[in-house]
Amino acid sequence: MTAHDPEKTSARPMPLPFVSAGPIFTPGRVLPEAGRKLYKLSNNESPLGIGALAARAVVDVSGSQHLYPDPDGMVLAEAICQVNDIDPGRVLVGPGSESIINWIVRGWAGIDDEVLYSEHGFQAYRIRAMSAGARPVAAPETNLYADVDSLLAAVTERTRLVFVANPNNPTGTFITPTELARLLAGLRPDIMLIVDEAYYEYVATDEYQSFLEIVDDQAENVMVLRTFSKFYGLAGLRVGWVYAPRFAIDALERIRGPYAVSGVALAAAEAAMRDQVHISAAREHNDHWLNWTQEHLRALGYETTDSVGNFVTLKIPGGVEAARVFDGKLRELGFVGRLADQNGLPDWLRLTIGSAEAMQALIPAIASLTE
Ligand SMILES: Cc1ncc(COP(=O)(O)O)c(C=O)c1O
């Protein structure tokens, strides 16, 4: 495929064919319905909301919004390095990690290059690859876990990028640092591995470890992604970051351009990272309600994944149509979930860990739909 065919004229200035033909990200959209209480459990947003320190930071900077923000978000990037004890100069901030995924694809994968990801991985990897004219390649998983051997077996000479969300969305499962290191060791040095740690802060088991340390020690072909959207409760402000080798940060800076993240978002993110009260509350809330919800769903007879994120994912018995009906009925009862049909799991439903009230009401609602 070529980007443009100079021989061909068109009555309209058409976008590149792979841009028009590509899939569109399906957001967890919830329209307000008059007089009805709806629990939105479809976007993995924090039920605790924005923390007190971040909220104060938003107010504090509100008077200077006629000025451009810090052009490259350096103050936040330095704070991220300090808090995570990582190398300054290797962090780049952007308006949400989904945008950074897009930049990575733009920077490293062109037409007919291959972007490899784990079969039930986050949908942005496939969508962003297609909108760049690259080929998305899904490596089969084993029991809803990313499978390193299967990823390595799917590598071809056209592979440029490998995305692994750890923990993954929508399954909530993770692979160990040893397995990730084995994946990295098995990749050619010209292939970039991106470990997407959007749900890192929620993970409560010792078997899990961030891959950030490996970026420090290892070769030049690994990046780690994080976001302020989930655990820190700042989804609406759009802030994410990537830790990457310096040459890759340099390329990403060129793609990003200046002023990509608003001053309000930068200030809130920095405050959120230092808000120990909010951080502890978010951790305690999720630990408790994740286990509680998972246990109750299993007691009702549902198969669930071993999610370590801020969501549970359960299989709806009876196949794809039954799952659609179940999702619709649950919505009528006031709970908006997310079928994982964009991730190759159309009869699995993902439900965010919401407020205590939402979770306590959810279980009887699901029980009422259970045969
Ligand atoms: C695995 C994963 N990565 C990245 C993102 C993008 O998050 P954001 O763009 O809000 O930082 C999400 C959001 O759902 C996600 O689940």
Side-chain angles (χ1 to χ4, degrees):
M1 196 197 294
T2 54
H4 282 292
D5 184 347
E7 300 292 310
K8 217 170 155 195
T9 53
S10 168
R12 286 186 290 170
M14 296 301 286
L16 299 170
F18 46 80
V19 172
S20 309
I24 292 181
F25 193 92
T26 325
R29 202 185 300 278
V30 178
L31 300 174
E33 290 176 39
R36 270 191 77 200
K37 179 155 190 167
L38 272 184
Y39 292 108
K40 185 182 174 211
L41 306 177
S42 51
N43 264 3
N44 297 344
E45 292 149 333
S46 172
L48 274 60
I50 185 171
L53 293 192
R56 193 178 316 145
V58 168
V59 174
D60 287 349
V61 297
S62 62
S64 55
Q65 293 316 300
H66 58 297
L67 302 173
Y68 280 102
D70 180 1
D72 42 18
M74 260 337 276
V75 176
L76 175 62
E78 275 162 20
I80 287 169
C81 292
Q82 210 181 53
V83 168
N84 293 282
D85 194 19
I86 50 179
D87 182 10
R90 293 178 63 176
V91 165
L92 174 124
V93 299
S97 53
E98 205 279 328
S99 289
I100 303 177
I101 292 166
N102 186 28
W103 300 340
I104 295 169
V105 172
R106 299 276 147 186
W108 276 266
I111 292 169
D112 287 344
D113 284 338
E114 290 178 0
V115 173
L116 180 59
Y117 60 98
S118 188
E119 187 182 8
H120 305 300
F122 182 46
Q123 55 170 323
Y125 313 142
R126 177 176 61 93
I127 293 170
R128 291 308 193 177
M130 291 178 81
S131 75
R135 261 186 262 150
V137 178
E141 297 193 357
T142 302
N143 300 328
L144 306 183
Y145 281 79
D147 181 323
V148 167
D149 293 312
S150 143
L151 283 159
L152 288 174
V155 169
T156 73
E157 58 180 19
R158 307 258 17 179
T159 308
R160 296 281 169 268
L161 298 169
V162 180
F163 282 97
V164 177
N166 205 39
N168 184 43
N169 167 22
T171 55
T173 58
F174 71 94
I175 59 172
T176 62
T178 318
E179 277 297 277
L180 273 179
R182 191 163 75 80
L183 173 60
L184 182 60
L187 293 175
R188 289 195 315 270
D190 65 313
I191 298 174
M192 186 69 82
L193 171 66
I194 303 100
V195 182
D196 181 347
E197 297 186 341
Y199 300 93
Y200 149 82
E201 294 88 350
Y202 289 109
V203 187
T205 161
D206 291 344
E207 287 160 60
Y208 175 85
Q209 196 190 330
S210 167
F211 215 48
L212 268 183
E213 293 85 15
I214 309 288
V215 190
D216 265 340
D217 312 330
Q218 284 278 346
E220 308 243 80
N221 62 333
V222 58
M223 301 189 188
V224 175
L225 279 170
R226 295 275 184 91
T227 180
F228 285 93
S229 297
K230 313 291 178 186
F231 185 81
Y232 292 107
L234 299 181
L237 286 175
R238 314 300 305 123
V239 200
W241 55 277
V242 63
Y243 192 61
R246 281 171 195 261
F247 79 91
I249 293 288
D250 179 72
L252 288 169
E253 268 168 354
R254 287 161 201 274
I255 298 170
R256 176 188 63 182
Y259 314 122
V261 185
S262 77
V264 173
L266 291 171
E270 194 188 341
M273 264 188 325
R274 305 200 193 272
D275 191 339
Q276 294 310 330
V277 174
H278 197 63
I279 287 173
S280 301
R283 195 158 283 141
E284 272 168 36
H285 180 89
N286 202 67
D287 282 355
H288 176 74
W289 291 106
L290 174 66
N291 289 331
W292 186 92
T293 310
Q294 221 141 236
E295 275 167 23
H296 279 77
L297 289 172
R298 286 173 184 163
L300 285 173
Y302 288 93
E303 180 184 353
T304 72
T305 62
D306 287 320
S307 173
V308 294
N310 67 335
F311 52 89
V312 290
T313 308
L314 62 149
K315 185 169 186 173
I316 308 302
V320 177
E321 193 41 41
R324 271 200 213 110
V325 170
F326 187 99
D327 181 43
K329 285 189 180 160
L330 194 59
R331 188 177 284 246
E332 276 165 26
L333 293 175
F335 301 88
V336 185
R338 182 81 168 267
L339 284 173
D341 48 358
Q342 297 299 312
N343 314 80
L345 295 170
D347 54 345
W348 289 74
L349 182 67
R350 192 194 72 194
L351 294 162
T352 304
I353 299 302
S355 64
E357 178 190 282
M359 294 296 102
Q360 277 162 340
L362 174 71
I363 294 300
I366 290 186
S368 75
L369 299 177
T370 306
E371 281 156 21

